[in-house]
């Protein structure tokens, strides 16, 4: 079962506009449509071009990724257009890095922690101010910052049951990528590859816990994945909020179904047993 998430996705463009290829210096390249980490994109020589759903977020992500250095993680470095922009007519570019999706869930969790050690000093982006989308609402609900009605059959009932176990977390918020499951590829040497950032202002352990919840709910991971990261300082509460985040998101998602909630029901039981 594919995960029901709400990571920003771009419209399905019918073709790559020529003026975009010109702007990013790949006019003479033959565009090859590809799917890179779940995103529709075009491979043009050593450049990957992709439509983006949010120009401001894509530009912010590129600005951070340009100089970010992450131990044992490869980043797809962004490419500027000929006039210095990160985004042209809703398109962004990065260096193409070959990679494939693999069920190496512990390695993705490890990559998440290394990535967020590097983003710990990144300032909170203003684009998160007054953010009002499904991702932001669900995260706010998970952390007890907002309350709203959730479809009980699609996850709302479980959300209410688990939320009663919420306790304060001491870990400080920082810039994290909150949608890493399915967005990390592995190159030929087995090194994790990350394309961009989907920013949240949350504790780093929460972002790692979201990977674990997704991997168990929809990625076929064994439940031991939860316990292999139990040494992290606030793991039970981070895991709880990750489960609440996915339940809140699922309960509001237009593609939610009884089948897709089954994985989250399993995760909810595993999390509850460890609180």
């Amino acid at each position: 079962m594919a995960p029901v998430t709400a990571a920003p996705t771009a419209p399905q463009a019918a073709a790559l506009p020529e003026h975009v290829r010109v702007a990013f210096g790949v006019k003479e390249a033959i565009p090859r449509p590809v799917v890179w980490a779940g995103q529709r994109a075009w491979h043009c020589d050593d450049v990957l071009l992709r439509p983006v759903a949010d120009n401001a977020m894509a530009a912010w992500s590129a600005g951070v990724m340009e100089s970010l250095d992450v131990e044992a993680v490869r980043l797809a470095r962004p490419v500027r257009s000929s006039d210095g922009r990160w985004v042209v007519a809703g398109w962004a570019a990065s260096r193409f890095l070959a990679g494939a999706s693999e069920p190496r869930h512990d390695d993705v969790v490890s990559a998440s922690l290394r990535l967020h050690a590097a983003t710990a000093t990144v300032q909170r982006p203003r684009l998160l101010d007054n953010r009002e989308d499904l991702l932001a609402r669900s995260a706010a609900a998970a952390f007890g910052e907002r309350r709203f009605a959730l479809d009980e059959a699609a996850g709302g009932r479980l959300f209410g049951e688990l939320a009663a176990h919420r306790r304060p977390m001491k870990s400080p918020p920082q810039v994290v990528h909150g949608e890493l499951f399915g967005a990390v590829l592995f190159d030929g040497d087995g090194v994790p590859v990350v394309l961009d950032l989907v920013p949240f202002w949350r504790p780093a352990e929460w972002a790692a816990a979201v990977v674990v919840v997704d991997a168990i709910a929809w990625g076929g991971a064994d439940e031991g994945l939860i316990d292999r990261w139990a040494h992290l300082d606030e793991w039970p509460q981070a895991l709880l909020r990750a489960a609440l985040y996915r339940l809140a998101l699922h309960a509001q998602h237009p593609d939610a179904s009884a089948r897709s909630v089954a994985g989250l029901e399993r995760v909810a039981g595993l999390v509850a047993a460890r609180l």
Side-chain angles (χ1 to χ4, degrees), residues 159-209:
F159 181 97
E161 293 174 358
L162 283 180
H165 298 282
R166 207 163 34 203
R167 300 292 181 268
M169 290 185 68
K170 298 179 181 178
S171 300
Q174 62 164 86
V175 167
V176 297
H177 188 319
E179 294 287 334
L180 275 173
F181 181 74
V184 176
L185 304 185
F186 292 89
D187 66 15
D189 296 323
V191 177
V193 178
V194 175
L195 175 64
D196 59 7
L197 294 173
V198 179
F200 290 77
W201 188 250
R202 300 293 175 188
E205 286 189 23
W206 171 79

Side-chain angles (χ1 to χ4, degrees), residues 102-181:
E102 298 181 14
R104 299 171 56 172
H105 307 303
D106 286 285
D107 290 337
V108 177
V109 176
S110 180
S112 171
L113 294 172
R114 294 196 300 275
L115 173 64
H116 298 135
T119 61
T121 57
V122 176
Q123 293 187 345
R124 184 182 186 277
R126 294 182 62 184
L127 60 83
L128 295 181
D129 295 345
N130 303 314
R131 183 177 170 189
E132 185 64 27
D133 57 33
L134 189 52
L135 292 174
R137 291 197 305 271
S138 300
F143 280 79
E145 299 161 357
R146 293 187 61 178
R147 293 184 179 183
F148 42 83
L150 296 172
D151 184 339
E152 290 201 359
R157 178 184 58 79
L158 281 173
F159 181 97
E161 293 174 358
L162 283 180
H165 298 282
R166 207 163 34 203
R167 300 292 181 268
M169 290 185 68
K170 298 179 181 178
S171 300
Q174 62 164 86
V175 167
V176 297
H177 188 319
E179 294 287 334
L180 275 173
F181 181 74

Side-chain angles (χ1 to χ4, degrees), residues 205 230 232-242 271 274-275:
E205 286 189 23
L232 296 176
D233 290 342
E234 296 190 272
W235 188 239
Q237 286 296 316
L239 196 64
L240 171 63
R241 283 163 174 76
V271 171
R274 288 161 173 79
L275 294 174

Side-chain angles (χ1 to χ4, degrees), residues 17-34:
E18 183 176 353
H19 73 275
V20 172
R21 291 163 54 199
V22 171
F24 287 108
V26 290
K27 178 184 177 181
E28 304 304 322
I30 299 176
R32 182 168 62 88
V34 296

